[in-house]
Amino acid sequence: MQLIPSVIFGVLIDAFTHWLSWLPLQHYGAQLLATLLSIVILAWGVFFEVNSKTIVMAGEGIAGAVAVATHREFPRAKVWCDGAMVVVAIILALFGLHGLVGVREGTILSALITGRLVSAYTRWWPQLVTWIQA
């Protein structure tokens, strides 16, 4: 059953990439702004995904398991798990591809910011959390 959310997630990424291809993102500042906006939207999705207590994507599942096992809040575990995955990706890229391939500023920013935004959304909208979990 985990395959279905993963397929939907992949299809939506492809669709939004196509739909937003008209955006002029040739300059680094525009790319960084788009990356930050996408992290805000990603965190919003993670907020709903985790609080709805439904099937979660693998990254959130690992963070959720770590949160339960270590008795930590999910957002904190998410930052640590995402950070660990980035470190592993960097090591694999350096040793396997002999260069830093596939990991750049957006990857690192996403790992550091997403969990913190989920925490902020949870603090800002406790009534929404209650409604989602009902």
Side-chain angles (χ1 to χ4, degrees):
M1 293 308 279
Q2 183 66 25
L3 179 64
I4 294 171
S6 298
V7 170
I8 293 170
F9 184 70
V11 168
L12 287 174
I13 287 175
D14 291 343
F16 279 104
T17 300
H18 176 72
W19 292 334
L20 298 175
S21 63
W22 59 271
L23 285 173
L25 298 176
Q26 288 79 23
H27 302 289
Y28 184 79
Q31 293 170 357
L32 185 60
L33 184 63
T35 299
L36 292 173
L37 178 61
S38 69
I39 292 169
V40 168
I41 295 168
L42 170 71
W44 188 244
V46 171
F47 167 78
F48 276 99
E49 177 185 13
V50 171
N51 284 304
S52 68
K53 306 291 186 197
T54 59
I55 296 174
V56 296
M57 299 295 291
E60 284 70 50
I62 291 170
V66 168
V68 169
T70 61
H71 307 287
R72 303 260 190 252
E73 292 182 354
F74 171 82
R76 175 165 284 176
K78 173 117 179 93
V79 171
W80 282 102
C81 288
D82 287 353
M85 286 189 271
V86 169
V87 169
V88 169
I90 290 170
I91 292 168
L92 290 174
L94 290 174
F95 286 108
L97 302 171
H98 308 292
L100 197 56
V101 178
V103 179
R104 287 194 49 195
E105 303 91 331
T107 307
I108 295 167
L109 287 172
S110 180
L112 296 175
I113 296 173
T114 303
R116 288 178 170 90
L117 283 174
V118 172
S119 178
Y121 296 158
T122 304
R123 277 192 323 273
W124 295 338
W125 296 297
Q127 302 89 350
L128 184 57
V129 173
T130 304
W131 179 77
I132 293 169
Q133 293 177 350

Coordinates of all heavy atoms in Angstrom, one line a residue, residues 20-108:
L20 N 4.8 24.6 -13.9 CA 5.6 25.8 -13.5 C 6.8 26.0 -14.3 O 7.6 26.9 -14.0 CB 5.9 25.7 -12.0 CG 4.8 25.6 -11.1 CD1 5.2 25.4 -9.6 CD2 3.9 26.8 -11.1
S21 N 6.9 25.4 -15.5 CA 8.1 25.5 -16.3 C 8.2 26.9 -16.9 O 9.3 27.3 -17.4 CB 8.1 24.4 -17.4 OG 7.0 24.6 -18.2
W22 N 7.2 27.6 -16.9 CA 7.2 29.0 -17.5 C 7.9 30.0 -16.6 O 8.2 31.1 -17.1 CB 5.8 29.5 -17.8 CG 4.9 29.5 -16.6 CD1 4.1 28.5 -16.1 CD2 4.7 30.6 -15.7 NE1 3.5 28.9 -14.9 CE2 3.9 30.2 -14.6 CE3 5.3 31.9 -15.6 CZ2 3.5 31.0 -13.6 CZ3 4.9 32.7 -14.6 CH2 4.0 32.3 -13.6
L23 N 8.1 29.7 -15.3 CA 8.7 30.6 -14.4 C 10.1 30.9 -14.8 O 10.9 30.0 -15.1 CB 8.7 30.1 -13.0 CG 7.3 30.1 -12.3 CD1 7.5 29.4 -10.9 CD2 6.9 31.5 -12.0
P24 N 10.5 32.2 -14.9 CA 11.9 32.6 -15.3 C 12.8 32.4 -14.1 O 13.0 33.3 -13.2 CB 11.8 34.0 -15.7 CG 10.6 34.5 -14.9 CD 9.7 33.4 -14.7
L25 N 13.5 31.2 -14.0 CA 14.4 30.9 -12.9 C 15.8 30.8 -13.3 O 16.6 29.9 -12.9 CB 13.9 29.7 -12.2 CG 12.5 29.7 -11.6 CD1 12.2 28.3 -11.0 CD2 12.4 30.7 -10.5
Q26 N 16.3 31.8 -14.2 CA 17.6 31.7 -14.6 C 18.6 32.3 -13.6 O 19.8 31.9 -13.6 CB 17.8 32.5 -16.0 CG 17.2 31.8 -17.1 CD 15.7 32.0 -17.2 OE1 15.1 32.9 -16.7 NE2 15.0 31.0 -17.9
H27 N 18.2 33.2 -12.8 CA 19.0 33.8 -11.8 C 19.0 33.1 -10.5 O 18.0 32.6 -10.0 CB 18.6 35.3 -11.6 CG 18.6 36.1 -12.9 ND1 19.8 36.4 -13.5 CD2 17.6 36.5 -13.6 CE1 19.5 37.1 -14.6 NE2 18.2 37.2 -14.7
Y28 N 20.2 33.1 -9.8 CA 20.3 32.4 -8.5 C 19.3 32.9 -7.5 O 18.8 32.1 -6.8 CB 21.8 32.5 -8.0 CG 22.0 31.7 -6.8 CD1 22.3 30.4 -6.9 CD2 22.0 32.3 -5.5 CE1 22.5 29.6 -5.8 CE2 22.3 31.6 -4.4 CZ 22.5 30.2 -4.5 OH 22.7 29.5 -3.4
G29 N 19.1 34.1 -7.4 CA 18.2 34.7 -6.4 C 16.8 34.1 -6.6 O 16.1 33.8 -5.7
A30 N 16.3 34.1 -7.9 CA 15.0 33.6 -8.2 C 14.9 32.1 -7.9 O 13.9 31.6 -7.3 CB 14.7 33.8 -9.7
Q31 N 16.0 31.3 -8.1 CA 16.0 29.9 -7.8 C 16.0 29.7 -6.3 O 15.3 28.8 -5.8 CB 17.3 29.3 -8.4 CG 17.3 29.3 -9.9 CD 18.7 28.9 -10.5 OE1 19.6 28.6 -9.7 NE2 18.8 28.8 -11.8
L32 N 16.7 30.5 -5.6 CA 16.7 30.4 -4.1 C 15.3 30.7 -3.5 O 14.8 30.0 -2.7 CB 17.8 31.3 -3.5 CG 18.0 31.2 -2.0 CD1 18.4 29.8 -1.6 CD2 19.0 32.2 -1.6
L33 N 14.7 31.8 -4.1 CA 13.4 32.1 -3.6 C 12.4 31.0 -3.9 O 11.5 30.7 -3.1 CB 12.9 33.5 -4.3 CG 11.6 34.0 -3.9 CD1 11.6 34.4 -2.4 CD2 11.2 35.2 -4.7
A34 N 12.4 30.4 -5.1 CA 11.5 29.3 -5.5 C 11.8 28.1 -4.6 O 10.9 27.4 -4.2 CB 11.7 28.9 -6.9
T35 N 13.1 27.9 -4.2 CA 13.4 26.8 -3.3 C 12.8 27.0 -2.0 O 12.2 26.1 -1.4 CB 14.9 26.6 -3.2 OG1 15.4 26.3 -4.5 CG2 15.3 25.5 -2.3
L36 N 12.9 28.2 -1.4 CA 12.4 28.5 -0.1 C 10.9 28.4 -0.1 O 10.3 27.9 0.8 CB 12.8 29.9 0.4 CG 14.3 30.0 0.7 CD1 14.7 31.5 0.9 CD2 14.7 29.1 1.8
L37 N 10.2 28.9 -1.2 CA 8.8 28.8 -1.3 C 8.3 27.3 -1.3 O 7.4 26.9 -0.7 CB 8.2 29.5 -2.5 CG 6.7 29.4 -2.8 CD1 6.0 30.0 -1.6 CD2 6.4 30.1 -4.0
S38 N 9.1 26.5 -2.1 CA 8.8 25.1 -2.2 C 9.0 24.4 -0.8 O 8.2 23.5 -0.5 CB 9.6 24.4 -3.2 OG 10.9 24.3 -2.9
I39 N 9.9 24.8 0.0 CA 10.1 24.2 1.3 C 9.0 24.6 2.2 O 8.5 23.7 3.0 CB 11.5 24.7 1.9 CG1 12.6 24.1 1.1 CG2 11.6 24.3 3.4 CD1 14.0 24.7 1.5
V40 N 8.5 25.8 2.1 CA 7.3 26.2 2.9 C 6.1 25.3 2.6 O 5.4 24.8 3.4 CB 7.0 27.7 2.7 CG1 5.6 28.1 3.3 CG2 8.1 28.6 3.3
I41 N 5.9 25.1 1.3 CA 4.8 24.3 0.8 C 5.0 22.8 1.2 O 4.1 22.1 1.7 CB 4.6 24.4 -0.7 CG1 4.1 25.8 -1.0 CG2 3.6 23.4 -1.2 CD1 4.2 26.2 -2.5
L42 N 6.2 22.3 1.1 CA 6.5 20.9 1.5 C 6.2 20.7 3.0 O 5.6 19.7 3.3 CB 8.0 20.6 1.2 CG 8.6 19.3 1.8 CD1 8.0 18.1 1.0 CD2 10.1 19.3 1.7
A43 N 6.7 21.7 3.8 CA 6.4 21.6 5.2 C 4.9 21.6 5.5 O 4.5 20.9 6.5 CB 7.1 22.7 6.0
W44 N 4.2 22.3 4.8 CA 2.7 22.3 5.0 C 2.1 21.0 4.7 O 1.3 20.5 5.4 CB 2.1 23.4 4.1 CG 0.7 23.7 4.2 CD1 -0.3 23.5 3.3 CD2 0.0 24.3 5.4 NE1 -1.5 23.9 3.8 CE2 -1.3 24.4 5.1 CE3 0.5 24.7 6.6 CZ2 -2.3 24.9 6.0 CZ3 -0.5 25.2 7.5 CH2 -1.8 25.3 7.2
G45 N 2.6 20.3 3.6 CA 2.2 19.0 3.3 C 2.6 18.0 4.3 O 1.8 17.1 4.7
V46 N 3.8 18.1 4.8 CA 4.3 17.2 5.9 C 3.4 17.4 7.1 O 3.1 16.4 7.8 CB 5.8 17.4 6.2 CG1 6.2 16.6 7.4 CG2 6.6 17.0 5.0
F47 N 3.1 18.6 7.5 CA 2.3 18.9 8.6 C 0.9 18.2 8.5 O 0.5 17.5 9.5 CB 2.0 20.4 8.7 CG 1.0 20.9 9.6 CD1 1.2 20.9 11.0 CD2 -0.3 21.3 9.1 CE1 0.2 21.4 11.8 CE2 -1.3 21.7 10.0 CZ -1.1 21.7 11.3
F48 N 0.3 18.2 7.4 CA -1.0 17.5 7.2 C -0.8 16.0 7.2 O -1.6 15.3 7.8 CB -1.7 18.0 5.9 CG -2.5 19.2 6.1 CD1 -1.9 20.4 5.7 CD2 -3.7 19.2 6.6 CE1 -2.6 21.6 5.8 CE2 -4.5 20.4 6.8 CZ -3.9 21.6 6.4
E49 N 0.3 15.6 6.5 CA 0.5 14.1 6.4 C 0.7 13.5 7.8 O 0.1 12.4 8.1 CB 1.7 13.9 5.5 CG 2.2 12.5 5.3 CD 3.5 12.4 4.5 OE1 4.2 13.4 4.3 OE2 3.8 11.3 4.2
V50 N 1.5 14.1 8.6 CA 1.9 13.5 9.9 C 0.7 13.6 10.8 O 0.4 12.7 11.6 CB 3.2 14.2 10.4 CG1 3.4 13.7 11.8 CG2 4.4 13.8 9.5
N51 N 0.1 14.7 10.9 CA -1.0 14.9 11.8 C -2.3 14.2 11.5 O -3.1 13.9 12.3 CB -1.3 16.4 12.0 CG -0.3 17.1 12.8 OD1 0.0 16.7 14.0 ND2 0.4 18.1 12.3
S52 N -2.4 13.8 10.2 CA -3.6 13.0 9.8 C -3.5 11.6 10.2 O -4.5 10.9 10.2 CB -3.8 13.1 8.3 OG -2.8 12.4 7.6
K53 N -2.4 11.1 10.7 CA -2.2 9.7 11.1 C -2.5 8.7 10.0 O -3.1 7.7 10.3 CB -3.0 9.4 12.4 CG -2.8 10.4 13.5 CD -1.4 10.2 14.1 CE -1.3 11.1 15.4 NZ 0.0 11.4 15.8
T54 N -2.3 9.1 8.8 CA -2.5 8.2 7.7 C -1.2 7.6 7.2 O -0.2 7.8 7.9 CB -3.2 8.9 6.5 OG1 -2.4 10.0 6.1 CG2 -4.6 9.4 6.9
I55 N -1.2 7.0 6.1 CA 0.1 6.4 5.5 C 1.0 7.6 5.2 O 0.6 8.6 4.6 CB -0.2 5.6 4.2 CG1 -1.1 4.4 4.6 CG2 1.1 5.2 3.6 CD1 -1.5 3.6 3.3
V56 N 2.3 7.5 5.6 CA 3.2 8.6 5.4 C 4.3 8.1 4.4 O 4.5 6.9 4.2 CB 3.9 9.0 6.7 CG1 2.9 9.6 7.7 CG2 4.6 7.9 7.4
M57 N 5.0 9.1 3.8 CA 6.1 8.8 2.9 C 7.2 8.3 3.8 O 7.3 8.4 5.0 CB 6.5 10.1 2.2 CG 5.4 10.7 1.3 SD 4.9 9.6 -0.1 CE 6.4 9.7 -1.1
A58 N 8.2 7.6 3.1 CA 9.3 7.0 3.8 C 10.1 7.9 4.7 O 10.4 7.6 5.8 CB 10.2 6.3 2.8
G59 N 10.4 9.1 4.2 CA 11.2 10.1 5.0 C 10.5 10.4 6.3 O 11.1 10.5 7.4
E60 N 9.2 10.7 6.2 CA 8.4 11.0 7.4 C 8.2 9.8 8.3 O 8.1 9.8 9.5 CB 7.1 11.6 7.1 CG 7.1 13.0 6.6 CD 7.8 13.2 5.3 OE1 7.4 12.5 4.3 OE2 8.7 14.0 5.2
G61 N 8.1 8.6 7.7 CA 8.0 7.3 8.5 C 9.2 7.1 9.3 O 9.1 6.7 10.5
I62 N 10.4 7.3 8.7 CA 11.7 7.1 9.5 C 11.7 8.1 10.6 O 12.0 7.8 11.8 CB 12.9 7.3 8.5 CG1 12.9 6.1 7.6 CG2 14.2 7.4 9.3 CD1 13.9 6.3 6.5
A63 N 11.4 9.4 10.3 CA 11.4 10.4 11.3 C 10.4 10.1 12.4 O 10.7 10.3 13.6 CB 11.2 11.8 10.7
G64 N 9.3 9.6 12.1 CA 8.3 9.3 13.1 C 8.7 8.1 13.9 O 8.5 8.1 15.2
A65 N 9.3 7.1 13.4 CA 9.9 6.0 14.1 C 11.0 6.4 15.1 O 11.0 6.0 16.3 CB 10.4 4.9 13.2
V66 N 11.8 7.3 14.6 CA 12.9 7.8 15.5 C 12.3 8.7 16.6 O 12.7 8.6 17.7 CB 13.9 8.7 14.6 CG1 14.9 9.5 15.5 CG2 14.7 7.8 13.7
A67 N 11.3 9.5 16.3 CA 10.6 10.3 17.3 C 10.0 9.4 18.4 O 10.2 9.7 19.6 CB 9.5 11.1 16.7
V68 N 9.4 8.3 18.0 CA 8.8 7.4 19.0 C 9.9 6.7 19.8 O 9.8 6.6 21.0 CB 7.9 6.4 18.3 CG1 7.4 5.3 19.3 CG2 6.6 7.1 17.7
A69 N 10.9 6.2 19.1 CA 11.9 5.5 19.8 C 12.8 6.3 20.8 O 13.2 5.8 21.8 CB 12.9 4.8 18.8
T70 N 12.9 7.6 20.4 CA 13.8 8.5 21.2 C 13.0 9.4 22.1 O 13.5 10.2 22.9 CB 14.7 9.3 20.4 OG1 13.9 10.2 19.5 CG2 15.6 8.5 19.5
H71 N 11.6 9.3 22.1 CA 10.7 10.1 22.9 C 11.0 11.6 22.6 O 11.0 12.4 23.5 CB 10.9 9.8 24.4 CG 10.8 8.4 24.7 ND1 9.5 7.7 24.7 CD2 11.7 7.4 25.0 CE1 9.7 6.4 25.0 NE2 11.0 6.2 25.2
R72 N 11.1 11.9 21.3 CA 11.3 13.3 20.9 C 10.1 13.7 20.1 O 9.3 12.9 19.6 CB 12.5 13.4 20.0 CG 13.8 13.0 20.7 CD 14.6 14.2 21.2 NE 15.9 13.8 21.6 CZ 16.3 13.8 22.8 NH1 15.5 14.0 23.8 NH2 17.5 13.4 23.1
E73 N 9.9 15.0 19.9 CA 8.8 15.5 19.1 C 9.2 15.2 17.6 O 10.4 15.2 17.2 CB 8.6 17.0 19.2 CG 8.1 17.4 20.6 CD 7.9 18.9 20.7 OE1 8.3 19.6 19.8 OE2 7.3 19.3 21.7
F74 N 8.2 15.0 16.8 CA 8.4 14.6 15.4 C 9.2 15.7 14.6 O 10.2 15.3 13.9 CB 7.1 14.4 14.6 CG 7.3 14.3 13.2 CD1 7.6 13.1 12.6 CD2 7.1 15.4 12.3 CE1 7.8 13.0 11.2 CE2 7.3 15.3 10.9 CZ 7.7 14.1 10.4
P75 N 8.9 17.0 14.8 CA 9.7 18.0 14.0 C 11.2 17.9 14.3 O 12.0 18.0 13.4 CB 9.1 19.3 14.4 CG 7.7 19.0 14.8 CD 7.8 17.6 15.5
R76 N 11.6 17.7 15.5 CA 13.0 17.6 15.9 C 13.6 16.4 15.3 O 14.7 16.4 14.7 CB 13.2 17.6 17.4 CG 14.6 17.4 17.8 CD 14.9 17.7 19.2 NE 14.9 19.2 19.3 CZ 15.0 19.9 20.4 NH1 15.0 19.3 21.5 NH2 15.0 21.2 20.4
A77 N 12.9 15.2 15.4 CA 13.4 14.0 14.8 C 13.5 14.2 13.3 O 14.5 13.6 12.6 CB 12.5 12.8 15.1
K78 N 12.6 14.9 12.6 CA 12.7 15.1 11.2 C 13.9 15.9 10.8 O 14.6 15.5 9.8 CB 11.4 15.9 10.7 CG 11.4 16.3 9.3 CD 10.4 15.7 8.5 CE 10.4 16.1 7.0 NZ 11.1 15.2 6.2
V79 N 14.3 16.9 11.5 CA 15.5 17.7 11.2 C 16.7 16.7 11.3 O 17.6 16.8 10.4 CB 15.6 18.9 12.1 CG1 17.0 19.5 12.0 CG2 14.5 19.9 11.9
W80 N 16.8 16.0 12.4 CA 17.9 15.1 12.6 C 18.0 14.0 11.5 O 19.1 13.7 10.9 CB 17.9 14.4 13.9 CG 18.4 15.4 15.0 CD1 17.6 16.1 15.9 CD2 19.8 15.8 15.2 NE1 18.4 16.9 16.7 CE2 19.7 16.7 16.3 CE3 21.0 15.4 14.7 CZ2 20.9 17.3 16.8 CZ3 22.1 16.0 15.2 CH2 22.1 16.9 16.2
C81 N 16.9 13.4 11.2 CA 16.8 12.3 10.1 C 17.2 12.9 8.7 O 17.9 12.3 8.0 CB 15.5 11.7 10.1 SG 15.2 10.6 11.5
D82 N 16.6 14.1 8.4 CA 16.9 14.7 7.1 C 18.3 15.1 7.0 O 19.0 14.9 6.0 CB 16.0 15.9 6.9 CG 14.5 15.6 6.6 OD1 14.2 14.4 6.4 OD2 13.7 16.5 6.5
G83 N 18.9 15.6 8.1 CA 20.3 16.0 8.2 C 21.2 14.7 8.0 O 22.1 14.8 7.2
A84 N 20.8 13.7 8.6 CA 21.6 12.4 8.5 C 21.5 11.9 7.0 O 22.5 11.4 6.5 CB 21.1 11.4 9.4
M85 N 20.3 12.0 6.4 CA 20.2 11.5 5.0 C 21.0 12.4 4.1 O 21.6 11.9 3.1 CB 18.7 11.5 4.6 CG 18.0 10.4 5.2 SD 16.3 10.2 4.5 CE 15.4 11.2 5.6
V86 N 21.1 13.7 4.4 CA 22.0 14.6 3.5 C 23.4 14.2 3.7 O 24.2 14.1 2.7 CB 21.7 16.1 3.9 CG1 22.8 17.0 3.3 CG2 20.3 16.5 3.5
V87 N 23.9 13.9 4.9 CA 25.3 13.5 5.1 C 25.6 12.2 4.4 O 26.6 12.1 3.7 CB 25.6 13.4 6.6 CG1 26.9 12.7 6.9 CG2 25.5 14.8 7.3
V88 N 24.6 11.3 4.5 CA 24.8 10.0 3.7 C 24.9 10.3 2.2 O 25.7 9.7 1.5 CB 23.7 9.0 4.1 CG1 23.8 7.8 3.2 CG2 23.9 8.6 5.6
A89 N 24.0 11.1 1.7 CA 24.0 11.4 0.3 C 25.3 12.1 -0.1 O 25.8 11.8 -1.2 CB 22.8 12.4 0.0
I90 N 25.8 13.0 0.7 CA 27.1 13.6 0.4 C 28.2 12.6 0.3 O 29.0 12.5 -0.6 CB 27.4 14.7 1.4 CG1 26.5 15.9 1.2 CG2 28.9 15.2 1.3 CD1 26.5 17.0 2.3
I91 N 28.3 11.7 1.3 CA 29.3 10.6 1.4 C 29.2 9.7 0.2 O 30.2 9.4 -0.5 CB 29.2 9.9 2.7 CG1 29.6 10.8 3.9 CG2 30.1 8.6 2.6 CD1 29.3 10.2 5.2
L92 N 28.0 9.3 -0.1 CA 27.8 8.4 -1.3 C 28.2 9.1 -2.6 O 28.8 8.5 -3.5 CB 26.3 7.9 -1.4 CG 25.9 6.9 -0.3 CD1 24.4 6.6 -0.4 CD2 26.7 5.6 -0.4
A93 N 27.8 10.4 -2.7 CA 28.2 11.1 -4.0 C 29.7 11.2 -4.1 O 30.2 11.0 -5.2 CB 27.5 12.5 -4.0
L94 N 30.3 11.6 -3.0 CA 31.8 11.8 -3.1 C 32.5 10.5 -3.4 O 33.4 10.5 -4.2 CB 32.3 12.4 -1.8 CG 31.9 13.8 -1.5 CD1 32.3 14.3 -0.1 CD2 32.4 14.8 -2.6
F95 N 32.1 9.4 -2.8 CA 32.8 8.1 -3.0 C 32.3 7.4 -4.2 O 33.1 6.8 -4.9 CB 32.7 7.2 -1.7 CG 33.5 7.7 -0.6 CD1 33.0 8.3 0.5 CD2 34.9 7.6 -0.7 CE1 33.7 8.7 1.6 CE2 35.7 8.0 0.4 CZ 35.1 8.6 1.5
G96 N 31.0 7.4 -4.5 CA 30.5 6.7 -5.6 C 30.6 7.4 -6.9 O 30.8 6.8 -8.0
L97 N 30.4 8.7 -6.9 CA 30.4 9.5 -8.1 C 31.6 10.5 -8.3 O 31.7 11.2 -9.2 CB 29.1 10.3 -8.2 CG 27.8 9.5 -8.2 CD1 26.6 10.4 -8.1 CD2 27.7 8.6 -9.4
H98 N 32.5 10.4 -7.2 CA 33.7 11.2 -7.2 C 33.4 12.7 -7.3 O 34.2 13.4 -7.9 CB 34.7 10.8 -8.3 CG 34.9 9.3 -8.3 ND1 35.6 8.7 -7.2 CD2 34.5 8.3 -9.1 CE1 35.7 7.4 -7.4 NE2 35.0 7.1 -8.5
G99 N 32.3 13.2 -6.8 CA 32.0 14.6 -6.8 C 30.7 14.8 -6.1 O 30.0 13.9 -5.8
L100 N 30.5 16.0 -5.7 CA 29.2 16.4 -5.0 C 28.1 16.5 -6.0 O 27.8 17.6 -6.6 CB 29.4 17.7 -4.2 CG 28.5 18.0 -3.2 CD1 28.4 16.8 -2.1 CD2 28.8 19.3 -2.4
V101 N 27.4 15.4 -6.3 CA 26.4 15.3 -7.3 C 25.0 15.2 -6.6 O 24.9 14.3 -5.8 CB 26.6 14.1 -8.3 CG1 25.5 14.0 -9.3 CG2 28.0 14.3 -8.9
G102 N 24.1 16.0 -7.0 CA 22.7 15.9 -6.5 C 22.5 16.5 -5.1 O 21.3 16.5 -4.7
V103 N 23.5 17.1 -4.5 CA 23.3 17.7 -3.2 C 23.8 19.1 -3.3 O 25.0 19.4 -3.5 CB 24.1 17.0 -2.1 CG1 23.9 17.7 -0.7 CG2 23.6 15.5 -1.9
R104 N 22.9 20.1 -3.1 CA 23.3 21.5 -3.2 C 22.6 22.2 -2.1 O 22.1 21.7 -1.1 CB 23.0 22.1 -4.6 CG 23.9 21.6 -5.6 CD 23.9 22.4 -6.9 NE 23.9 23.8 -6.7 CZ 23.6 24.7 -7.6 NH1 23.2 24.3 -8.8 NH2 23.7 26.0 -7.3
E105 N 22.5 23.5 -2.2 CA 21.9 24.4 -1.2 C 20.5 24.0 -0.9 O 20.1 24.0 0.3 CB 22.0 25.9 -1.6 CG 23.3 26.4 -2.0 CD 23.7 26.2 -3.4 OE1 23.2 25.3 -4.1 OE2 24.5 27.1 -3.9
G106 N 19.7 23.7 -1.9 CA 18.3 23.4 -1.7 C 18.1 22.2 -0.8 O 17.2 22.1 0.0
T107 N 18.9 21.2 -1.1 CA 18.9 19.9 -0.3 C 19.1 20.2 1.2 O 18.4 19.7 2.1 CB 19.9 18.9 -0.8 OG1 19.6 18.7 -2.2 CG2 19.7 17.6 -0.1
I108 N 20.2 21.0 1.4 CA 20.6 21.3 2.8 C 19.6 22.2 3.5 O 19.2 21.9 4.6 CB 22.0 21.9 2.8 CG1 23.0 20.9 2.3 CG2 22.4 22.4 4.2 CD1 24.4 21.5 2.0

